[in-house]
PDB file of all heavy atoms in Angstrom:
ATOM      1  N   GLN A 117     107.503 -75.566 -23.942  1.00  0.00           N
ATOM      2  CA  GLN A 117     108.120 -74.849 -25.040  1.00  0.00           C
ATOM      3  C   GLN A 117     109.044 -73.714 -24.464  1.00  0.00           C
ATOM      4  O   GLN A 117     109.153 -72.724 -25.064  1.00  0.00           O
ATOM      5  CB  GLN A 117     107.095 -74.260 -26.002  1.00  0.00           C
ATOM      6  CG  GLN A 117     106.210 -75.308 -26.655  1.00  0.00           C
ATOM      7  CD  GLN A 117     106.873 -76.206 -27.472  1.00  0.00           C
ATOM      8  OE1 GLN A 117     107.770 -75.893 -28.332  1.00  0.00           O
ATOM      9  NE2 GLN A 117     106.686 -77.476 -27.337  1.00  0.00           N
ATOM     10  N   ASP A 118     109.681 -74.061 -23.410  1.00  0.00           N
ATOM     11  CA  ASP A 118     110.521 -73.031 -22.696  1.00  0.00           C
ATOM     12  C   ASP A 118     111.688 -72.578 -23.597  1.00  0.00           C
ATOM     13  O   ASP A 118     112.116 -71.399 -23.584  1.00  0.00           O
ATOM     14  CB  ASP A 118     111.120 -73.635 -21.418  1.00  0.00           C
ATOM     15  CG  ASP A 118     110.136 -73.932 -20.377  1.00  0.00           C
ATOM     16  OD1 ASP A 118     109.070 -73.288 -20.415  1.00  0.00           O
ATOM     17  OD2 ASP A 118     110.381 -74.773 -19.547  1.00  0.00           O
ATOM     18  N   ASN A 119     112.191 -73.459 -24.339  1.00  0.00           N
ATOM     19  CA  ASN A 119     113.338 -73.050 -25.193  1.00  0.00           C
ATOM     20  C   ASN A 119     112.978 -73.030 -26.733  1.00  0.00           C
ATOM     21  O   ASN A 119     113.703 -73.506 -27.496  1.00  0.00           O
ATOM     22  CB  ASN A 119     114.502 -74.082 -24.936  1.00  0.00           C
ATOM     23  CG  ASN A 119     115.780 -73.461 -25.247  1.00  0.00           C
ATOM     24  OD1 ASN A 119     115.975 -72.352 -25.428  1.00  0.00           O
ATOM     25  ND2 ASN A 119     116.770 -74.407 -25.282  1.00  0.00           N
ATOM     26  N   LEU A 120     111.791 -72.626 -26.965  1.00  0.00           N
ATOM     27  CA  LEU A 120     111.193 -72.587 -28.334  1.00  0.00           C
ATOM     28  C   LEU A 120     112.105 -71.841 -29.334  1.00  0.00           C
ATOM     29  O   LEU A 120     112.326 -72.333 -30.367  1.00  0.00           O
ATOM     30  CB  LEU A 120     109.793 -72.030 -28.309  1.00  0.00           C
ATOM     31  CG  LEU A 120     109.124 -72.067 -29.699  1.00  0.00           C
ATOM     32  CD1 LEU A 120     108.985 -73.462 -30.149  1.00  0.00           C
ATOM     33  CD2 LEU A 120     107.721 -71.363 -29.528  1.00  0.00           C
ATOM     34  N   ARG A 121     112.628 -70.706 -29.027  1.00  0.00           N
ATOM     35  CA  ARG A 121     113.441 -70.006 -29.828  1.00  0.00           C
ATOM     36  C   ARG A 121     114.643 -70.665 -30.262  1.00  0.00           C
ATOM     37  O   ARG A 121     115.059 -70.727 -31.451  1.00  0.00           O
ATOM     38  CB  ARG A 121     113.881 -68.667 -29.274  1.00  0.00           C
ATOM     39  CG  ARG A 121     114.722 -67.696 -30.083  1.00  0.00           C
ATOM     40  CD  ARG A 121     114.914 -66.291 -29.519  1.00  0.00           C
ATOM     41  NE  ARG A 121     115.444 -65.425 -30.454  1.00  0.00           N
ATOM     42  CZ  ARG A 121     116.697 -65.263 -30.763  1.00  0.00           C
ATOM     43  NH1 ARG A 121     117.540 -66.176 -30.289  1.00  0.00           N
ATOM     44  NH2 ARG A 121     117.153 -64.366 -31.653  1.00  0.00           N
ATOM     45  N   ALA A 122     115.378 -71.383 -29.293  1.00  0.00           N
ATOM     46  CA  ALA A 122     116.502 -72.203 -29.573  1.00  0.00           C
ATOM     47  C   ALA A 122     116.166 -73.347 -30.444  1.00  0.00           C
ATOM     48  O   ALA A 122     116.923 -73.686 -31.452  1.00  0.00           O
ATOM     49  CB  ALA A 122     117.218 -72.662 -28.359  1.00  0.00           C
ATOM     50  N   ILE A 123     115.039 -73.960 -30.188  1.00  0.00           N
ATOM     51  CA  ILE A 123     114.675 -75.047 -31.036  1.00  0.00           C
ATOM     52  C   ILE A 123     114.435 -74.667 -32.560  1.00  0.00           C
ATOM     53  O   ILE A 123     114.875 -75.410 -33.452  1.00  0.00           O
ATOM     54  CB  ILE A 123     113.321 -75.707 -30.469  1.00  0.00           C
ATOM     55  CG1 ILE A 123     113.682 -76.437 -29.171  1.00  0.00           C
ATOM     56  CG2 ILE A 123     112.675 -76.685 -31.507  1.00  0.00           C
ATOM     57  CD1 ILE A 123     112.380 -76.894 -28.359  1.00  0.00           C
ATOM     58  N   LEU A 124     113.729 -73.520 -32.721  1.00  0.00           N
ATOM     59  CA  LEU A 124     113.469 -73.060 -34.060  1.00  0.00           C
ATOM     60  C   LEU A 124     114.755 -72.591 -34.824  1.00  0.00           C
ATOM     61  O   LEU A 124     114.914 -72.850 -35.971  1.00  0.00           O
ATOM     62  CB  LEU A 124     112.373 -71.886 -33.977  1.00  0.00           C
ATOM     63  CG  LEU A 124     111.068 -72.227 -33.544  1.00  0.00           C
ATOM     64  CD1 LEU A 124     110.187 -71.023 -33.364  1.00  0.00           C
ATOM     65  CD2 LEU A 124     110.434 -73.226 -34.473  1.00  0.00           C
ATOM     66  N   LEU A 125     115.552 -71.982 -34.000  1.00  0.00           N
ATOM     67  CA  LEU A 125     116.909 -71.618 -34.673  1.00  0.00           C
ATOM     68  C   LEU A 125     117.715 -72.807 -35.043  1.00  0.00           C
ATOM     69  O   LEU A 125     118.368 -72.849 -36.145  1.00  0.00           O
ATOM     70  CB  LEU A 125     117.692 -70.827 -33.618  1.00  0.00           C
ATOM     71  CG  LEU A 125     117.243 -69.287 -33.500  1.00  0.00           C
ATOM     72  CD1 LEU A 125     117.998 -68.634 -32.406  1.00  0.00           C
ATOM     73  CD2 LEU A 125     117.201 -68.535 -34.842  1.00  0.00           C
ATOM     74  N   ALA A 126     117.765 -73.922 -34.212  1.00  0.00           N
ATOM     75  CA  ALA A 126     118.484 -75.046 -34.577  1.00  0.00           C
ATOM     76  C   ALA A 126     117.848 -75.767 -35.830  1.00  0.00           C
ATOM     77  O   ALA A 126     118.550 -76.224 -36.676  1.00  0.00           O
ATOM     78  CB  ALA A 126     118.395 -76.106 -33.377  1.00  0.00           C
ATOM     79  N   ARG A 127     116.487 -75.793 -35.974  1.00  0.00           N
ATOM     80  CA  ARG A 127     115.862 -76.373 -37.124  1.00  0.00           C
ATOM     81  C   ARG A 127     116.198 -75.566 -38.368  1.00  0.00           C
ATOM     82  O   ARG A 127     116.477 -76.170 -39.381  1.00  0.00           O
ATOM     83  CB  ARG A 127     114.368 -76.302 -36.817  1.00  0.00           C
ATOM     84  CG  ARG A 127     113.879 -77.349 -36.023  1.00  0.00           C
ATOM     85  CD  ARG A 127     112.337 -77.309 -35.902  1.00  0.00           C
ATOM     86  NE  ARG A 127     111.743 -78.175 -34.836  1.00  0.00           N
ATOM     87  CZ  ARG A 127     110.534 -78.192 -34.499  1.00  0.00           C
ATOM     88  NH1 ARG A 127     109.660 -77.446 -34.985  1.00  0.00           N
ATOM     89  NH2 ARG A 127     110.122 -78.969 -33.484  1.00  0.00           N
ATOM     90  N   ALA A 128     116.187 -74.230 -38.202  1.00  0.00           N
ATOM     91  CA  ALA A 128     116.515 -73.416 -39.413  1.00  0.00           C
ATOM     92  C   ALA A 128     117.935 -73.585 -39.893  1.00  0.00           C
ATOM     93  O   ALA A 128     118.314 -73.799 -40.980  1.00  0.00           O
ATOM     94  CB  ALA A 128     116.300 -71.891 -39.016  1.00  0.00           C
ATOM     95  N   LYS A 129     118.900 -73.707 -38.869  1.00  0.00           N
ATOM     96  CA  LYS A 129     120.213 -73.951 -39.215  1.00  0.00           C
ATOM     97  C   LYS A 129     120.509 -75.280 -39.894  1.00  0.00           C
ATOM     98  O   LYS A 129     121.204 -75.489 -40.848  1.00  0.00           O
ATOM     99  CB  LYS A 129     121.067 -73.942 -37.876  1.00  0.00           C
ATOM    100  CG  LYS A 129     122.649 -74.024 -38.178  1.00  0.00           C
ATOM    101  CD  LYS A 129     123.434 -73.809 -36.905  1.00  0.00           C
ATOM    102  CE  LYS A 129     124.883 -73.965 -37.180  1.00  0.00           C
ATOM    103  NZ  LYS A 129     125.676 -73.873 -35.957  1.00  0.00           N
ATOM    104  N   ALA A 130     119.778 -76.389 -39.314  1.00  0.00           N
ATOM    105  CA  ALA A 130     119.824 -77.784 -39.836  1.00  0.00           C
ATOM    106  C   ALA A 130     119.288 -77.809 -41.359  1.00  0.00           C
ATOM    107  O   ALA A 130     119.941 -78.351 -42.197  1.00  0.00           O
ATOM    108  CB  ALA A 130     119.142 -78.726 -39.036  1.00  0.00           C
ATOM    109  N   LYS A 131     118.212 -77.035 -41.565  1.00  0.00           N
ATOM    110  CA  LYS A 131     117.657 -76.913 -42.912  1.00  0.00           C
ATOM    111  C   LYS A 131     118.548 -76.190 -43.861  1.00  0.00           C
ATOM    112  O   LYS A 131     118.810 -76.617 -44.958  1.00  0.00           O
ATOM    113  CB  LYS A 131     116.293 -76.193 -42.820  1.00  0.00           C
ATOM    114  CG  LYS A 131     115.560 -76.104 -44.198  1.00  0.00           C
ATOM    115  CD  LYS A 131     114.190 -75.490 -43.981  1.00  0.00           C
ATOM    116  CE  LYS A 131     113.414 -75.502 -45.246  1.00  0.00           C
ATOM    117  NZ  LYS A 131     112.116 -75.015 -45.183  1.00  0.00           N
ATOM    118  N   GLU A 132     119.209 -75.149 -43.341  1.00  0.00           N
ATOM    119  CA  GLU A 132     120.127 -74.390 -44.173  1.00  0.00           C
ATOM    120  C   GLU A 132     121.340 -75.241 -44.603  1.00  0.00           C
ATOM    121  O   GLU A 132     121.810 -75.137 -45.727  1.00  0.00           O
ATOM    122  CB  GLU A 132     120.605 -73.170 -43.308  1.00  0.00           C
ATOM    123  CG  GLU A 132     121.300 -72.137 -44.081  1.00  0.00           C
ATOM    124  CD  GLU A 132     121.600 -70.961 -43.275  1.00  0.00           C
ATOM    125  OE1 GLU A 132     120.695 -70.200 -42.887  1.00  0.00           O
ATOM    126  OE2 GLU A 132     122.764 -70.685 -42.842  1.00  0.00           O
ATOM    127  N   GLU A 133     121.821 -75.998 -43.662  1.00  0.00           N
ATOM    128  CA  GLU A 133     123.022 -76.881 -43.771  1.00  0.00           C
ATOM    129  C   GLU A 133     122.638 -78.013 -44.756  1.00  0.00           C
ATOM    130  O   GLU A 133     123.446 -78.345 -45.665  1.00  0.00           O
ATOM    131  CB  GLU A 133     123.611 -77.489 -42.491  1.00  0.00           C
ATOM    132  CG  GLU A 133     124.215 -76.524 -41.587  1.00  0.00           C
ATOM    133  CD  GLU A 133     124.544 -77.052 -40.238  1.00  0.00           C
ATOM    134  OE1 GLU A 133     124.115 -78.251 -39.955  1.00  0.00           O
ATOM    135  OE2 GLU A 133     125.195 -76.282 -39.457  1.00  0.00           O
ATOM    136  N   ALA A 134     121.386 -78.541 -44.665  1.00  0.00           N
ATOM    137  CA  ALA A 134     120.993 -79.617 -45.646  1.00  0.00           C
ATOM    138  C   ALA A 134     120.926 -79.021 -46.980  1.00  0.00           C
ATOM    139  O   ALA A 134     121.322 -79.754 -47.918  1.00  0.00           O
ATOM    140  CB  ALA A 134     119.621 -80.195 -45.171  1.00  0.00           C
ATOM    141  N   LEU A 135     120.401 -77.810 -47.147  1.00  0.00           N
ATOM    142  CA  LEU A 135     120.190 -77.193 -48.513  1.00  0.00           C
ATOM    143  C   LEU A 135     121.704 -76.901 -49.092  1.00  0.00           C
ATOM    144  O   LEU A 135     121.813 -77.092 -50.237  1.00  0.00           O
ATOM    145  CB  LEU A 135     119.448 -75.978 -48.438  1.00  0.00           C
ATOM    146  CG  LEU A 135     117.927 -76.035 -48.186  1.00  0.00           C
ATOM    147  CD1 LEU A 135     117.261 -74.807 -47.945  1.00  0.00           C
ATOM    148  CD2 LEU A 135     117.235 -76.778 -49.309  1.00  0.00           C
ATOM    149  N   ALA A 136     122.576 -76.533 -48.219  1.00  0.00           N
ATOM    150  CA  ALA A 136     123.962 -76.239 -48.691  1.00  0.00           C
ATOM    151  C   ALA A 136     124.636 -77.463 -49.093  1.00  0.00           C
ATOM    152  O   ALA A 136     125.268 -77.508 -50.154  1.00  0.00           O
ATOM    153  CB  ALA A 136     124.775 -75.561 -47.553  1.00  0.00           C
ATOM    154  N   GLN A 137     124.424 -78.598 -48.399  1.00  0.00           N
ATOM    155  CA  GLN A 137     124.948 -79.870 -48.777  1.00  0.00           C
ATOM    156  C   GLN A 137     124.456 -80.379 -50.051  1.00  0.00           C
ATOM    157  O   GLN A 137     125.008 -80.921 -50.920  1.00  0.00           O
ATOM    158  CB  GLN A 137     124.879 -80.914 -47.696  1.00  0.00           C
ATOM    159  CG  GLN A 137     125.773 -80.617 -46.413  1.00  0.00           C
ATOM    160  CD  GLN A 137     125.553 -81.782 -45.373  1.00  0.00           C
ATOM    161  OE1 GLN A 137     124.671 -82.552 -45.454  1.00  0.00           O
ATOM    162  NE2 GLN A 137     126.369 -81.691 -44.314  1.00  0.00           N
ATOM    163  N   ALA A 138     123.123 -80.209 -50.168  1.00  0.00           N
ATOM    164  CA  ALA A 138     122.378 -80.624 -51.521  1.00  0.00           C
ATOM    165  C   ALA A 138     122.927 -79.879 -52.637  1.00  0.00           C
ATOM    166  O   ALA A 138     123.099 -80.501 -53.767  1.00  0.00           O
ATOM    167  CB  ALA A 138     120.972 -80.565 -51.261  1.00  0.00           C
ATOM    168  N   GLY A 139     123.208 -78.647 -52.450  1.00  0.00           N
ATOM    169  CA  GLY A 139     123.745 -77.881 -53.532  1.00  0.00           C
ATOM    170  C   GLY A 139     125.128 -78.237 -53.897  1.00  0.00           C
ATOM    171  O   GLY A 139     125.539 -77.959 -55.103  1.00  0.00           O
TER     172      GLY A 139
END
Side-chain angles (χ1 to χ4, degrees):
Q117 301 295 314
D118 296 334
N119 204 9
L120 183 59
R121 185 173 190 279
I123 292 168
L124 293 175
L125 287 173
R127 284 183 191 169
K129 185 177 179 180
K131 184 176 181 178
E132 193 175 290
E133 289 172 358
L135 289 174
Q137 287 179 354

